[in-house]
Amino acid sequence: MIKVGVFYPQSKTFDWDYYLGRHTPMVQKLMGPALKKVEIEQGIAGGAPGTPATYQTVCTLHFDSVEAFQTAFAPCAQQIMGDIANYTDAQPVVQIGEVKL
Amino acid sequence: MIKVGVFYPQSKTFDWDYYLGRHTPMVQKLMGPALKKVEIEQGIAGGAPGTPATYQTVCTLHFDSVEAFQTAFAPCAQQIMGDIANYTDAQPVVQIGEVKL
């Protein structure tokens, strides 16, 4: 199992209604059954008292393997990445992680 | 539900045996039943082809609420944070997120 993490740093704008109501359902539809699970968090605080979260939003997408992700993502990458500007000016950090626990 | 994310940037050392075999079980024991779930990923690739993961390790700790986390963490914070130097030289980014999906 792998997870694709999408970390949105704090920025000027983040349209939660669009993100949850339009972008995420679009991603789920485009990626199809290869996308096993989507998790979304809103950053509310940093680790040290009184500090803000580094990332305003963290999205985690679950797939069976790197290959399963790449196969599902390639045909719709442009559409998904191109939609980001519709809800935020943040440039997300994206990475792939292998599940250890 | 909230999640505490612990993101370890790439660094010189990360002792996975110690982290999974000693640090994580210690955290689970110290935090007790307030800690609902622990997830650990090893970063294996960045979002762009041929790039490394920004974070070599991502740990996600699940709690019912910020208060539940703070109450469980306060008495053992020093012991947990002090143990980090035993497995890595990385300074983790820590943040609290509210589960939206």
Side-chain angles (χ1 to χ4, degrees):
Chain A
M1 284 288 297
I2 64 116
K3 297 182 189 176
V4 177
V6 187
F7 309 108
Y8 296 85
Q10 297 288 356
S11 68
K12 283 186 193 162
T13 59
F14 198 95
D15 183 340
W16 276 94
D17 287 342
Y18 187 97
Y19 181 60
L20 291 176
R22 294 184 60 180
H23 179 77
T24 304
M26 182 189 82
V27 170
Q28 289 172 309
K29 191 179 172 190
L30 289 172
M31 301 288 254
L35 175 56
K36 300 300 180 192
K37 190 180 177 187
V38 180
E39 296 173 290
I40 292 171
E41 293 163 57
Q42 181 173 20
I44 55 173
T51 60
T54 301
Y55 299 105
Q56 61 188 324
T57 306
V58 175
C59 176
T60 310
L61 306 142
H62 299 237
F63 298 89
D64 282 337
S65 66
V66 174
E67 294 68 31
F69 159 64
Q70 287 172 336
T71 302
F73 186 59
C76 53
Q78 205 169 352
Q79 191 174 347
I80 290 173
M81 300 308 281
D83 193 47
I84 294 176
N86 292 325
Y87 58 89
T88 186
D89 60 325
Q91 299 286 326
V93 173
V94 179
Q95 77 168 50
I96 301 172
E98 191 180 295
V99 174
K100 305 295 269 188
L101 186 73
Chain B
M1 285 288 296
I2 64 116
K3 297 182 188 176
V4 177
V6 187
F7 312 116
Y8 296 85
Q10 297 288 357
S11 69
K12 282 185 195 166
T13 58
F14 197 95
D15 182 340
W16 276 94
D17 287 342
Y18 187 96
Y19 182 60
L20 291 176
R22 295 183 61 179
H23 179 77
T24 304
M26 183 190 81
V27 170
Q28 289 172 309
K29 191 179 174 190
L30 289 172
M31 302 288 254
L35 176 56
K36 300 301 179 189
K37 190 180 179 187
V38 180
E39 295 172 292
I40 292 170
E41 292 163 58
Q42 181 173 20
I44 55 173
T51 61
T54 301
Y55 300 106
Q56 61 188 323
T57 306
V58 174
C59 174
T60 310
L61 306 143
H62 299 237
F63 298 89
D64 282 336
S65 65
V66 174
E67 294 67 30
F69 160 63
Q70 288 172 335
T71 302
F73 187 58
C76 53
Q78 206 169 349
Q79 193 175 346
I80 290 173
M81 300 307 282
D83 193 47
I84 294 176
N86 291 326
Y87 58 89
T88 186
D89 61 325
Q91 299 288 323
V93 172
V94 180
Q95 76 168 49
I96 301 172
E98 190 180 295
V99 174
K100 306 295 268 185
L101 186 73

